[in-house]
Amino acid sequence: MVRKIIKIKEELCNGCGLCAAACHEGAIAMVDGKARLVREDHCDGLGDCLPACPTGAITFEERQAPAYDPAAVARTQAARRQEGPACACPGSQARAISREVPPAACPGPSVSALAQWPVQIKLVPVRAPYFAGAHLLIAADCTAYAYGAFHRDFMAGRVTLIGCPKLDEGDDTEKLTQILAFNDIRSLTVVRMEVPCCGGIQRAARQALALSGKDLPFQVVTLSADGRILGA
């Protein structure tokens, strides 16, 4: 079948191994000091490995390839768990963040409301414990800089995902669809900037919600460049 799959340019690969650590499906391995796509049937085409690559060696291509095989991926992951923990990039390891005092109870500007890591849409896993019962915030990555009380007013009590439809490679609709479909998400809020290109993150979230088959409370908040709320 012809489908979207990653392509690794060997001449650009510096052998750091970050892409192999970011690929939770086990499609990528380090061979002779270079990253290689060793299992085409393990590549889901979502590109979690792309933002992990510091040299831009990984891109998407449309070509003849075996279909993604989730059952084979599950067997590989189970075998890895039996072998014990592997070395992974700290920047891509999923974890929840707990605080003694809830951010909403602290009016101070220095209190972070971030509830999990990672936050970038390309890096976040499709399934994670912190998604259970979560109120999901999908935000354009400029919004937190434009709106001073972003943590307090938007992130507190929510799981936050960020992205930029203009700069991030590939469409996030498919991955957001899986996150919504595979987890017990309770609501979905999108915060975007007023600029037209930011409409891409709104469209991706709206399409993902429709494709997931879920009926969730959904709202979009638009911010101006000078930090005003233009609509909700």
Side-chain angles (χ1 to χ4, degrees):
M1 64 180 296
V2 176
R3 69 180 184 94
K4 184 169 71 173
I5 196 167
I6 65 162
K7 178 181 180 180
I8 303 175
K9 296 180 181 178
E10 184 174 336
E11 65 274 15
L12 295 180
C13 176
N14 66 0
C16 68
L18 294 177
C19 60
C23 180
H24 305 292
E25 291 76 23
I28 301 174
M30 302 306 295
V31 180
D32 296 329
K34 295 286 187 177
R36 299 276 178 84
L37 177 59
V38 294
R39 289 294 302 266
E40 293 184 351
D41 62 334
H42 281 37
C43 178
D44 57 12
L46 296 178
D48 286 356
C49 54
L50 267 70
C53 179
T55 65
I58 305 176
T59 57
F60 284 117
E61 65 176 342
E62 294 271 351
R63 65 172 174 82
Q64 193 76 29
Y68 173 62
D69 188 344
V73 171
R75 290 193 294 270
T76 298
Q77 291 173 334
R80 283 183 170 182
R81 286 193 294 268
Q82 290 179 352
E83 292 170 359
C87 178
C89 170
S92 63
Q93 291 177 338
R95 62 183 185 271
I97 299 172
S98 60
R99 293 181 172 84
E100 294 182 2
V101 181
C106 301
S110 63
V111 178
S112 173
L114 186 62
Q116 94 294 335
W117 185 267
V119 295
Q120 223 286 341
I121 295 172
K122 299 293 186 187
L123 291 177
V124 73
V126 169
R127 292 182 175 91
Y130 49 71
F131 282 134
H135 296 278
L136 187 62
L137 170 67
I138 301 175
D141 51 14
C142 293
T143 54
Y145 294 94
Y147 190 84
F150 193 83
H151 280 245
R152 184 193 66 200
D153 293 352
F154 294 112
M155 290 175 59
R158 294 187 174 103
V159 167
T160 302
L161 305 183
I162 65 169
C164 176
K166 188 175 182 66
L167 299 180
D168 294 349
E169 186 171 356
D171 183 13
D172 291 322
T173 301
E174 185 176 356
K175 186 166 189 180
L176 292 175
T177 299
Q178 292 185 337
I179 290 173
L180 292 172
F182 296 158
N183 300 281
D184 179 26
I185 304 296
R186 300 297 176 87
S187 69
L188 178 59
T189 299
V190 175
V191 182
R192 54 164 292 185
M193 298 302 296
E194 61 181 329
V195 294
C197 60
C198 237
I201 201 163
Q202 178 179 339
R203 287 191 297 273
R206 191 180 297 276
Q207 291 172 4
L209 182 57
L211 291 170
S212 73
K214 299 287 185 68
D215 182 16
L216 304 176
F218 176 72
Q219 68 166 333
V220 177
V221 179
T222 302
L223 303 178
S224 68
D226 60 0
R228 292 174 292 116
I229 295 179
L230 298 178

